[in-house]
């Protein structure tokens, strides 16, 4: 199966997942000199409303952790979006060391990790599955994470569950009052472009919105991410083997896509 090692990593994905070789792939390097701030986005700030407490399921997908949100009363609109999108899940990408790990890069600079909040166009499509096959089906918010001294309190609620899902396939039900608003940066300034899922099947169905301002996470918190395993409990391997120390796809060419920005 696909993964992030030398023999099944991003450079091999197109063999089994032909979409990975498309012209609208993600992530990309955000060349800030190419970003246009035309009037199409002026005062169209991106708006979200997430409930403060609802139930979640955190699962080890084998490629990282993912929190499924059963996003009934969630809504994302505005910015580059023409319809209202519902939050389906969120997850994270990271690297083996702190000088890599984000999927998008900014003028060639990587951050230590990147949070993705995955939404689907529930106004136009009747299911996430259907939306994931449409060019305007998904809207993913990307939030850069850089190493800071303090723990991120909201992330800590998720991180405290990771020891229960160390192996692939394990999941944990939790109803904690997660304040999504604090998983997002203070500034709503962002870049936006049309792209894809950054893992197989690499569907070209995502309207990407990447916030300019990073949030901070502590080194200890990032180490907890790296303690996840990409193999199941039954795969008897050495304790140090199978650790998910990196799960990011390097940038693909922007090609002739437009990169727009909102806010300085
Ligand atoms: N990293 S990311 O661009 O945010 C990203 C990467 C891959 C996915 N992803 C992988 C499989 N699926 C998926 C799951 C169920 C389904 F019905 C359709 C899908 F595309 C999916 O949404 C979702 C999000
Ligand atoms: Zn992602």
């Amino acid at each position: 199966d696909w993964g992030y090692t030398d023999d099944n990593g991003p450079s091999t994905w197109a063999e089994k997942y032909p979409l990975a070789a498309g012209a609208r792939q993600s992530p990309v390097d955000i060349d800030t000199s190419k970003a246009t701030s035309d009037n199409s986005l002026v005062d169209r700030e991106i708006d979200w409303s997430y409930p403060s407490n609802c139930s979640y399921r955190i699962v080890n997908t084998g490629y990282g952790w993912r929190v499924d949100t059963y996003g009934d009363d969630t809504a994302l609109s505005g910015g580059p979006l023409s319809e209202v999108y519902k939050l389906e899940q969120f997850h994270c990408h990271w690297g083996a060391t702190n000088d890599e790990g984000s999927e998008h890069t900014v003028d060639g600079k990587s951050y230590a990790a990147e949070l993705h909040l995955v939404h689907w166009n529930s106004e136009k499509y009747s299911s996430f599955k259907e939306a994931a096959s449409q060019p305007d089906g998904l809207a993913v918010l990307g939030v850069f994470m850089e190493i800071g001294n303090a723990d991120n309190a909201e992330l800590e609620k998720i991180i405290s569950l990771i020891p229960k899902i160390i192996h692939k396939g394990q999941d944990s039900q939790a109803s904690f009052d997660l304040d999504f608003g604090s998983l997002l940066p203070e500034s709503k300034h962002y870049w936006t472009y049309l792209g894809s899922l950054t893992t197989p099947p690499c569907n070209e169905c995502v309207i990407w919105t990447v916030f300019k301002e990073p949030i901070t996470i502590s080194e200890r918190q990032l180490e907890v991410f790296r303690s996840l395993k990409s193999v199941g409990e039954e795969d008897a391997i050495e304790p140090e083997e199978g650790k998910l120390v990196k799960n990011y796809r390097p940038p693909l060419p922007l090609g002739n896509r437009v990169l727009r920005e909102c806010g300085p």
Side-chain angles (χ1 to χ4, degrees), residues 89 91 93 103 116 118 128-129 132 140 196-201 208:
Q89 52 104 329
H91 61 273
H93 300 265
E103 298 210 300
H116 288 159
V118 182
F128 176 85
K129 188 176 173 66
V140 183
S196 73
L197 302 179
T198 66
T199 73
W208 275 96

Side-chain angles (χ1 to χ4, degrees), residues 15-59:
E15 293 158 22
K16 289 184 190 155
Y17 304 94
L19 296 178
R24 181 189 150 169
Q25 288 293 292
S26 293
V28 296
D29 176 49
I30 294 168
D31 178 339
T32 55
S33 69
K34 272 195 201 155
T36 60
S37 50
D38 55 22
N39 293 336
S40 62
L41 293 170
V42 76
D43 72 35
R44 280 188 51 75
E45 68 173 24
I46 194 118
D47 280 317
W48 58 79
S49 86
Y50 299 132
S52 61
N53 67 330
C54 48
S55 66
Y56 305 91
R57 170 179 172 262
I58 186 167
V59 57

